[in-house]
Amino acid sequence: MSARQFGDGNRAMGSGIRGVDRGEPARNRGRLLSRAGTHSHRTAPSVLPGHSRDSAPAIVRCHHASRIGASGRKSGPAWQHRQIGGCPGRRQSGPVRKRVVLVGAGHAHLHILKNAAALRCIGAEVVIIAQGDFWYSGMATGMLGGLSPPEADRVDIGELAINSGTKLHLGTMIGLDRATREVLLEDGRRIGFDLLSLNLGSAPPPLCGTGHSIYSVKPIRSLVELRNRIEEEWRGADPPVLRIAVVGGGVTGIEIAANLRALSDLHGREMEITIYSRSAPLKHLPRGVAAALMRHLRTMNIEIRWPAAVTLAEENGVFLNDGTREDCDIVVNATGLVPSRIAARLDLPFDADGALIVDRFLTSTGDVSIFAAGDCIAFDGRALPRAGVYAVRQAPILLANLGAELSGKPLIPFVPQKHYLAIVGLGHTSALMLRGRLWFKGPPALWLKRWIDQRFVDSYRLGRTSINSN
């Protein structure tokens, strides 16, 4: 069965859900697909050009064994993708021929950054433009709940760039000049490119209202600020009973609320937590899963109200669609995820949600030299759940296709998996994991989630050094 999408707050955002798929075989296999006018039907290279099989890591290894499809007809050579490594013992000679520019330090670009040596081996200069360090969404709610310190959730992009020989520009993209092949930054800089990859991320649609007491589930730095704000409030001699309004009754909102309760229990402080849901909460989940999560909320003394749409958020309260006003001290926006707003302002095709439309090769349908991955894309004409697992799975394909484009070789398609494991963290003692209609709730699920998340973050830290958590 296909994976359920978590939407209105039920879409799988990274901080609400950690998505992995350990049980499926390699799914990105099948016929090499060409793009009209760009690539012909031909056998893909087993190694990067200019290297022997002994000295160079493979982009793609071709197994010349045909598969038999459901129709009984042979589908062509099966392809298995391998992670590109470095170029041991070789140094690129001569001037740099092409510049590959990565915009955004998300899940997909972390992989390319770590393996940038593979692109430099074939004459590419690799540049990344990022607003700051990478904050891992899979650990974000646990960090909010006090399971780990904020620094455990962060990967130092500067350190990773230096280690991979990549040039880092700290800045914010505000536009794209396709005529001159330049990325426009907020401070006026223009960064030229030959190939461009966009990993722009997503965020909840903004709530109507302003104030220093409104926080969002993305960017993850907002949750760091929320935890700091709460703990600062509790340092006083007479700490207040904080009233928290979580807007959004999907998986993310439930996970945020559960970890806020875990934080208050950790500090021995009182907190009133109310979730406001526009429609029936968790309506896209199997009934048994939704019921288990609702029971968990009741045991944690968390109130959930629906139908209750928040129409305006202020410093000390929220207004609902029935005209009533509810007092609160802090508002958390967990209303689901939409692509970064810049994606729709780049003179590239985008869908109704503002997501960049890409083909099966992760290239823009409006410019074959521009690639994109993660939450900011509409893949092959359809939206994928905005879960980190898709960006992680797209990353090796994106890296391989950047190398193939540089080399004038055929690209390979990304094939999304039908099912993935989602793990919802529910505080310090429990989590719920779900794959299709199979689910389990209890401490082992939390242990598995923490192991997966820590392993992922450590893989991008020099020396794979863990930061101790609580």
Side-chain angles (χ1 to χ4, degrees):
M1 299 179 65
S2 61
R4 291 299 186 105
Q5 179 176 327
F6 303 126
D8 165 5
N10 288 309
R11 273 191 173 179
M13 73 158 274
S15 73
I17 292 183
R18 166 63 179 152
V20 295
D21 185 355
R22 299 296 183 215
E24 295 230 8
R27 298 202 50 96
N28 286 301
R29 301 177 179 175
R31 187 189 305 269
L32 178 65
L33 303 175
S34 68
R35 293 181 297 169
T38 305
H39 300 290
S40 62
H41 288 280
R42 55 186 173 181
T43 302
S46 293
V47 297
L48 295 171
H51 300 279
S52 70
R53 291 180 183 272
D54 294 331
S55 65
I59 293 181
V60 180
R61 187 174 301 279
C62 177
H63 301 279
H64 293 284
S66 296
R67 296 188 303 164
I68 304 299
S71 65
R73 299 180 61 184
K74 292 183 178 181
S75 63
W79 299 83
Q80 182 174 356
H81 315 309
R82 293 179 52 186
Q83 175 175 308
I84 303 177
C87 297
R90 297 184 63 96
R91 183 182 297 274
Q92 175 67 30
S93 60
V96 172
R97 297 193 302 270
K98 298 287 185 179
R99 176 184 284 175
V100 177
V101 174
L102 315 174
V103 179
H107 292 76
H109 281 176
L110 274 191
H111 179 79
I112 296 176
L113 200 56
K114 182 179 178 180
N115 295 280
L119 299 178
R120 291 192 288 107
C121 282
I122 52 176
E125 176 192 11
V126 184
V127 174
I128 184 165
I129 300 168
Q131 294 178 329
D133 289 332
F134 172 79
W135 291 87
Y136 178 46
S137 55
M139 294 177 69
T141 51
M143 176 277 299
L144 176 64
L147 269 177
S148 59
E151 56 268 26
D153 198 6
R154 183 178 63 86
V155 173
D156 188 327
I157 291 298
E159 185 178 41
L160 194 56
I162 291 171
N163 189 56
S164 66
T166 300
K167 185 173 183 179
L168 169 64
H169 290 278
L170 289 176
T172 301
M173 179 185 189
I174 60 169
L176 186 63
D177 189 333
R178 291 174 59 197
T180 61
R181 316 304 283 172
E182 291 177 315
V183 176
L184 312 181
L185 301 188
E186 192 174 44
D187 61 7
R189 284 177 292 166
R190 302 170 72 96
I191 311 298
F193 67 88
D194 294 292
L195 292 182
L196 178 66
S197 180
L198 302 172
N199 193 196
L200 305 176
S202 61
L207 292 175
C208 184
T210 57
H212 297 296
S213 295
I214 302 174
Y215 297 84
S216 177
V217 296
K218 276 193 171 183
I220 304 304
R221 292 186 302 274
S222 179
L223 294 181
V224 177
E225 294 167 2
L226 172 58
R227 176 176 165 177
N228 291 340
R229 156 81 183 275
I230 291 172
E231 291 179 331
E232 183 62 31
E233 293 271 5
W234 286 338
R235 288 192 183 100
D238 187 21
V241 176
L242 291 177
R243 300 163 296 177
I244 312 290
V246 178
V247 184
V251 172
T252 300
I254 271 65
E255 191 169 7
I256 289 287
N259 280 279
L260 284 170
R261 174 62 71 214
L263 184 65
S264 69
D265 291 345
L266 179 67
H267 288 271
R269 303 297 187 186
E270 293 187 40
M271 180 185 287
E272 296 177 1
I273 305 170
T274 304
I275 300 172
Y276 297 91
S277 182
R278 180 183 297 272
S279 57
L282 306 171
K283 61 186 178 182
H284 292 285
L285 295 183
R287 288 184 181 180
V289 175
L293 289 173
M294 295 294 282
R295 286 194 299 271
H296 191 86
L297 291 180
R298 288 193 291 271
T299 64
M300 301 185 88
N301 195 26
I302 295 171
E303 182 182 0
I304 185 162
R305 297 185 53 190
W306 65 277
V310 172
T311 58
L312 179 67
E314 294 184 332
E315 280 294 319
N316 298 306
V318 293
F319 288 87
L320 307 182
N321 56 342
D322 62 2
T324 61
R325 182 183 186 278
E326 302 263 330
D327 292 337
C328 64
D329 303 299
I330 292 173
V331 179
V332 184
N333 182 2
T335 54
L337 295 174
V338 295
S340 171
R341 286 179 288 180
I342 186 62
R345 302 201 297 266
L346 299 180
D347 190 29
L348 294 169
F350 60 91
D351 72 359
D353 287 338
L356 295 168
I357 300 175
V358 301
D359 61 20
R360 289 168 290 184
F361 307 97
L362 302 177
T363 59
S364 168
T365 56
D367 192 324
V368 296
S369 66
I370 298 177
F371 294 75
D375 284 358
C376 71
I377 69 169
F379 175 74
D380 200 23
R382 69 186 192 276
L384 297 174
R386 293 195 171 100
V389 61
Y390 288 99
V392 170
R393 292 281 178 157
Q394 288 160 6
I397 307 302
L398 179 61
L399 177 60
N401 283 347
L402 287 169
E405 190 72 28
L406 288 167
S407 310
K409 303 297 181 180
L411 277 65
I412 54 179
F414 170 71
V415 182
Q417 69 271 33
K418 292 182 179 180
H419 303 287
Y420 64 92
L421 178 67
I423 307 181
V424 184
L426 297 173
H428 293 179
T429 60
S430 186
L432 185 146
M433 56 185 182
L434 167 70
R435 190 175 189 272
R437 292 197 169 268
L438 298 176
W439 63 279
F440 171 82
K441 177 178 174 290
L446 180 62
W447 178 89
L448 178 61
K449 174 178 172 58
R450 297 191 69 184
W451 179 81
I452 292 170
D453 292 340
Q454 193 64 62
R455 185 168 176 260
F456 177 83
V457 172
D458 285 349
S459 71
Y460 292 103
R461 290 198 175 110
L462 297 182
R464 297 180 60 87
T465 302
S466 299
I467 296 176
N468 291 332
S469 57
N470 294 331

